[in-house]
Amino acid sequence: MTVDRVLPTEEAGELLGLATELADGELAPRVAAFESRGEFPREVLRTLGRAGLLGLPYPTGYGGADQPYEVYLQVLEILASRWLAVAEAVSVHTLACYPVSAYGSTKLRELLPDLLGGELLGAYCLSEPQGGSDAAALTTRAVRDGEEYVVSGTKAWITHAGIADFYNIFCRTGGPGASGISCLLADAATPGIVPQAPERTMGLRSSPVAQIAFDAARVPADRLVGSEGVGFRIAMQALDSGRLGIAACAVGLAQAALDHASGYARERNQFGRPIIEFQGLGFLLADMATQVAAARALTLAAARLRDAGRPYSVEAAKAKVFATDAAMRVTTDAVQVLGGAGYVSDHPVERYLREAKVLQIVEGTNQIQRLVISRALARG
């Protein structure tokens, strides 16, 4: 299905055309095989980087494309509609580039062209085995020792663990609470950084997720991002943008499920006519289409606030909740439209359903997003 889009510039239209071309040529033909093998498509990410699609929202002076978030999110949506694991990888990488771009020293920012060009793949190390939603209670500690920090602790649920070239490590350099947290940018090859065995996940099997152990890993002090004590602020600002990325991924996944289900319903005949003509299925598909359109509109509305420099944290939380919940409903209903055929891997809707679930969890669970929204309402 062709989505009717209103784009801010002609260049934006060209970028979305390029994203569609790459999604159709590089992603769609490979997704089934890579998901089956559980293999991460590292070269696909390099291809996207060389095409300029990994640095879209970042300044051109650092190798980015200086595009509005509104445009970047629509590129993510296109990628997600062909291969969610790749779109999520782009979203996570973009998130991982944020600390250096927004808070990094002049020396650290020299890394940005390789980061944004896809030659270096990033990961974001915030969650811990005993502390996911309560990020301010993290226990991974970095102790200053001369011109280095010695990092000890364990991070959990790290996308790109074991394949990333650099890690943003959120760690405690001071006392308890948010004010004691800092951010370090560490090379993946640093001795003492030990990725664990990949988790066996329900979906996104071509996207590695694992714990990372930090066993007295020594990170140069000049890899401190910003200053000591601002790490929590960096993390939360990055997550606001990252939630919009996940919302866009959810929209793309839901659109793919809607397209497949409606196409199947047009071609499948029962009782002498296409099943889409039966009101029970036709209305189900109509509700699915409405959910996708509403999720897209809410996500892009939040992005436009961000682009205008206005507060958008609560709107990002709303977009993340609505879009990911919609993706769960739409993919579930897509399986129902296909009936028994939807429950087997011959059709991609069973994969879409498995993949949708994680979007309700990552970048802050939907329960945490509702907490953000309700607290804003309480403040008036």
Side-chain angles (χ1 to χ4, degrees):
M1 176 180 178
T2 301
V3 177
D4 188 17
R5 302 180 187 274
V6 178
L7 298 170
T9 64
E10 183 178 339
E11 183 184 8
E14 293 172 354
L15 280 170
L16 264 61
L18 173 61
T20 301
E21 180 182 340
L22 288 171
D24 288 339
E26 301 291 335
L27 275 60
R30 296 175 173 168
V31 54
F34 274 78
E35 283 290 319
S36 176
R37 296 195 301 266
E39 179 183 347
F40 182 72
R42 183 66 180 91
E43 284 306 311
V44 170
L45 270 293
R46 287 195 178 93
T47 297
L48 294 178
R50 290 163 186 162
L53 297 183
L54 292 188
L56 288 175
Y58 290 105
T60 53
Y62 294 125
D66 212 13
Q67 287 294 312
Y69 233 69
E70 175 187 1
V71 174
Y72 160 64
L73 294 183
Q74 291 181 80
V75 168
L76 268 188
E77 179 192 329
I78 290 168
L79 299 178
S81 70
R82 275 64 162 190
W83 192 347
L84 180 61
V86 168
E88 191 230 15
V90 173
S91 182
V92 168
H93 179 73
T94 302
L95 178 76
C97 292
Y98 175 84
V100 173
S101 176
Y103 287 88
S105 64
T106 300
K107 182 177 180 182
L108 280 180
R109 288 177 179 173
E110 291 175 358
L111 298 171
L112 281 171
D114 281 342
L115 270 58
L116 300 179
E119 293 307 311
L120 297 177
L121 184 68
Y124 188 84
C125 303
L126 179 62
S127 294
E128 298 185 350
Q130 302 303 320
S133 297
D134 188 7
L138 64 81
T139 60
T140 296
R141 178 163 290 280
V143 177
R144 184 72 180 258
D145 182 20
E147 294 304 309
E148 296 176 317
Y149 284 95
V150 182
V151 184
S152 299
T154 302
K155 294 295 182 178
W157 311 114
I158 306 305
T159 300
H160 301 161
I163 61 168
D165 300 294
F166 69 93
Y167 296 106
N168 287 289
I169 309 170
F170 292 92
C171 47
R172 191 163 300 284
T173 54
S179 62
I181 296 172
S182 301
C183 178
L184 296 173
L185 185 77
D187 292 335
T190 302
I193 297 181
V194 187
Q196 305 300 294
E199 306 286 356
R200 294 179 291 177
T201 55
M202 177 189 297
L204 294 181
R205 291 172 179 167
S206 60
S207 176
V209 175
Q211 291 190 2
I212 300 179
F214 297 91
D215 184 11
R218 289 185 169 269
V219 179
D222 62 6
R223 288 299 189 94
L224 176 69
V225 181
S227 57
E228 287 194 2
V230 301
F232 190 77
R233 184 196 315 164
I234 295 172
M236 293 303 103
Q237 289 177 356
L239 285 174
D240 282 341
S241 297
R243 285 163 184 160
L244 289 180
I246 294 301
C249 286
V251 173
L253 183 68
Q255 183 70 61
L258 170 64
D259 290 347
H260 194 87
S262 56
Y264 181 89
R266 288 192 299 270
E267 296 174 0
R268 171 76 168 168
N269 286 285
Q270 292 288 278
F271 306 101
R273 54 180 170 152
I275 61 174
I276 199 170
E277 294 181 7
F278 292 96
Q279 192 175 89
L281 275 178
F283 280 14
L284 185 62
L285 289 163
D287 286 344
M288 292 162 65
T290 303
Q291 290 285 308
V292 174
R296 178 180 293 114
L298 192 58
T299 300
L300 295 181
R304 292 180 190 115
L305 286 176
R306 185 189 189 281
D307 290 334
R310 295 171 58 186
Y312 70 99
S313 296
V314 175
E315 299 309 309
K318 292 176 184 176
K320 199 269 183 181
V321 164
F322 189 88
T324 58
D325 282 354
M328 195 72 238
R329 287 192 295 270
V330 169
T331 55
T332 299
D333 288 344
V335 171
Q336 191 69 22
V337 169
L338 270 69
Y343 198 66
V344 296
S345 59
D346 302 68
H347 293 272
V349 292
E350 67 85 25
R351 172 167 56 83
Y352 298 158
L353 173 58
R354 289 186 287 103
E355 291 175 336
K357 187 62 203 173
V358 74
L359 299 178
Q360 295 178 302
I361 299 170
V362 296
E363 308 289 2
T365 67
N366 282 7
Q367 285 68 37
I368 288 294
Q369 305 315 309
R370 289 181 169 90
L371 185 62
V372 170
I373 298 164
S374 64
R375 284 177 173 173
L377 292 172
R379 291 193 300 269

